[in-house]
Amino acid sequence: MAKIIPFKAVRPIADKVALVTCRTYDDYSPAELAAWLNFNPYSFLHVINPAYANLHKISTDKRFKGVAHKYRDFKEENILITEENPVFFLYEIQTKSGIFTGIIAGTSVKDYQENVIRKHEDTLQYRVELFKEYLHKTNFNTEPVLITYPDSIEINTFIGLRKKTNPVYEFSTTNKEKHTLWKIDTQSEIDWLQEHFEKIPNLYIADGHHRSASAELLYEQNKHTGKENLQYFMSFLIAESNIKIYEFNRIIRDLNGLSKEEFIKKLSQNFIIKPKDQELWKPQNKNEFGMYLDGSFYALFYKGNKNEKGILDNLDAQILYNKVLHPLLGIGDLRNDERIDYIPGKQSVSAIKDLIDEGEFEVGFTLYPIDIEEIKTIADENLIMPPKSTYIEPKLRSGLVVYEL
């Protein structure tokens, strides 16, 4: 049974919400970041990126303390306000990719530890430790973990009716997205949602494995304090049919000493290769791969038996690693090898072509996206997908809702 709780959220005052909220920090180029910080004094980027001009010169500890100080400034200036009582939120994002609607709530660290909230990605300990320290020093989090739940007619009906009421916010952003937030604050609605989520046996992390692992570590190291908020972490709960799963495509800097002819000959041992010339070809089914090499596109069809091994070995990302990236191109560490990079599948295939034509990379591979049932099966079997197997939307804005610890 999944436990969710309302919480006393901190959020922007209504007349400044479009100015305060921002994309995830990593989404901004240095030029964009400088522009927003110079021309928008209300941007939450000022909180999460204090003293940006000298960022490389200050210690992590000073930076985190700067975040906490700037956050307090935003609250003292009434740019951010605090709810009087614990609430849930209903949140809808309209993008070019679709309309995504879910519930912002606190989810249980205990559920995470007991595998009620299930995982499918590995985490890097240094990143878990770093974000744990960030949470400890700043005492807030504004990036919810994206969690899916099985589609529910009752919850869908509740959401549909709730969307007909007046929202707290309704605003658009410069990247042409529309955001709407409703507050769920009556005790009857809160009880109803909690009761219905208690009937759900498992939740699944779609995006945010490091954030949830950091929340667990922070709880374990500070549970003696008795702070209730440490027992939960903020999540955006969305029906599994409402997420959009893209692949991560791969680009590699060289052929590991092989000539083009040698590489294609070795590829043909495991793949049927069909030249596509200048057609921007993408895989249409599982076990199909696109390749761009030396100015031409190719379709690769895996010869292996789809049912010969378990779910993990049948993942396209794993097949590409087992049959191409590791044995032929000599890439062992998918996270840290500087010879490989990743392009989200929502970007055009032409982006891969351009990078390779410019000469920095030599070959690129496109994959077919994984589906939610594969993710759930892997999580249910306590398996771990290869790094960069999925790029999942929606991506949530920082500074819209803040969970204080």
Side-chain angles (χ1 to χ4, degrees):
M1 299 191 302
K3 183 176 182 179
I4 64 170
I5 63 159
F7 59 96
K8 286 188 178 181
V10 175
R11 56 184 176 84
I13 194 164
D15 68 339
K16 295 181 177 64
V17 61
L19 295 170
V20 173
T21 64
C22 60
R23 307 196 308 272
T24 301
Y25 171 76
D26 291 338
D27 281 355
Y28 293 88
S29 68
E32 281 184 297
L33 184 62
W36 278 106
L37 291 167
N38 282 331
F39 296 108
N40 181 4
Y42 299 112
S43 174
F44 203 77
L45 288 168
H46 287 285
V47 175
I48 58 179
N49 191 61
Y52 71 97
N54 300 307
L55 190 59
H56 64 287
K57 297 180 181 178
I58 64 175
S59 67
T60 300
D61 182 66
K62 285 186 177 180
R63 179 170 181 260
F64 291 168
K65 287 179 179 177
V67 171
H69 179 77
K70 194 65 179 178
Y71 176 68
R72 287 193 297 270
D73 286 349
F74 267 47
K75 292 181 71 176
E76 289 171 2
E77 294 168 12
N78 290 321
I79 298 169
L80 299 175
I81 58 175
T82 305
E83 293 289 344
E84 293 184 4
N85 299 298
V87 299
F88 291 128
F89 291 103
L90 179 63
Y91 178 35
E92 180 177 273
I93 311 168
Q94 295 186 30
T95 74
K96 295 177 183 177
S97 304
I99 300 175
F100 306 97
T101 311
I103 296 159
I104 298 175
T107 47
S108 168
V109 169
K110 184 178 179 182
D111 283 353
Y112 176 85
Q113 292 174 324
E114 295 181 352
N115 211 30
V116 173
I117 298 175
R118 298 194 168 176
K119 323 144 193 65
H120 66 267
E121 287 185 5
D122 206 355
T123 54
L124 297 173
Q125 190 59 29
Y126 83 90
R127 285 185 58 189
V128 173
E129 291 274 0
L130 183 64
F131 193 66
K132 182 271 299 181
E133 198 60 24
Y134 172 89
L135 295 174
H136 179 65
K137 292 285 172 55
T138 64
N139 284 308
F140 76 86
N141 179 34
T142 186
E143 296 186 13
V145 175
L146 183 65
I147 290 182
T148 68
Y149 60 86
D151 281 68
S152 162
I153 294 174
E154 292 86 357
I155 295 175
N156 286 345
T157 301
F158 171 85
I159 288 173
L161 291 172
R162 204 61 177 76
K163 284 168 63 174
K164 294 179 181 179
T165 64
N166 291 329
V168 176
Y169 303 135
E170 188 173 24
F171 64 98
S172 296
T173 55
T174 54
N175 59 342
K176 299 182 179 178
E177 294 179 352
K178 182 181 177 184
H179 300 261
T180 311
L181 190 80
W182 295 263
K183 184 162 60 175
I184 301 172
D185 57 355
T186 66
Q187 194 59 49
S188 60
E189 289 179 310
I190 289 171
D191 291 344
W192 188 92
L193 275 175
Q194 288 181 310
E195 289 169 7
H196 275 72
F197 272 91
E198 283 178 359
K199 298 175 184 177
I200 297 174
N202 293 108
L203 304 176
Y204 294 84
I205 296 176
D207 190 20
H209 286 79
H210 285 89
R211 277 166 273 157
S212 48
S214 297
E216 180 198 19
L217 183 60
L218 183 68
Y219 166 72
E220 285 297 329
Q221 292 182 358
N222 296 275
K223 58 185 176 183
H224 62 277
T225 64
K227 292 177 67 175
E228 184 179 7
N229 280 12
L230 291 178
Q231 300 175 38
Y232 303 91
F233 55 91
M234 184 170 64
S235 295
F236 182 62
L237 300 150
I238 185 169
E240 58 190 37
S241 66
N242 196 207
I243 62 170
K244 178 71 173 176
I245 305 174
Y246 297 92
E247 73 284 4
F248 259 114
N249 298 312
R250 279 86 163 115
I251 48 177
I252 295 90
R253 296 183 190 279
D254 59 69
L255 295 182
N256 196 30
L258 297 171
S259 67
K260 171 186 171 182
E261 292 72 22
E262 289 170 333
F263 180 61
I264 289 178
K265 183 178 180 180
K266 288 180 178 292
L267 272 181
S268 66
Q269 295 175 11
N270 290 298
F271 300 90
I272 298 170
I273 303 173
K274 295 185 177 180
K276 294 292 181 178
D277 298 320
Q278 296 304 303
E279 180 186 347
L280 296 175
W281 190 85
K282 288 190 70 174
Q284 306 300 305
N285 298 286
K286 279 182 60 59
N287 294 165
E288 298 177 2
F289 303 85
M291 182 174 73
Y292 183 70
L293 174 64
D294 193 27
S296 296
F297 288 93
Y298 298 84
L300 311 179
F301 301 92
Y302 182 51
K303 296 178 182 178
N305 184 344
K306 297 179 182 179
N307 300 313
E308 63 185 356
K309 293 183 180 178
I311 179 72
L312 192 59
D313 288 305
N314 278 312
L315 287 182
D316 286 351
Q318 191 69 39
I319 291 170
L320 187 68
Y321 177 77
N322 289 343
K323 302 300 181 182
V324 182
L325 300 181
H326 190 206
L328 304 187
L329 297 178
I331 294 173
D333 187 345
L334 291 172
R335 288 188 185 275
N336 299 310
D337 195 316
E338 294 182 352
R339 295 171 54 234
I340 187 169
D341 209 342
Y342 302 89
I343 306 293
K346 67 179 296 183
Q347 293 190 27
S348 170
V349 179
S350 61
I352 295 174
K353 178 182 185 298
D354 291 344
L355 285 168
I356 293 171
D357 288 347
E358 288 168 4
E360 186 177 353
F361 296 87
E362 192 160 351
V363 62
F365 297 95
T366 53
L367 291 78
Y368 189 75
I370 194 172
D371 63 43
I372 186 62
E373 290 304 320
E374 289 176 298
I375 290 176
K376 290 171 63 177
T377 300
I378 287 166
D380 290 342
E381 295 183 11
N382 294 313
L383 298 172
I384 299 298
M385 291 199 305
K388 298 290 187 180
S389 291
T390 57
Y391 179 91
I392 298 179
E393 288 189 335
K395 299 296 182 186
L396 308 175
R397 289 182 78 78
S398 294
L400 180 65
V401 175
V402 181
Y403 181 87
E404 292 192 332
L405 301 168

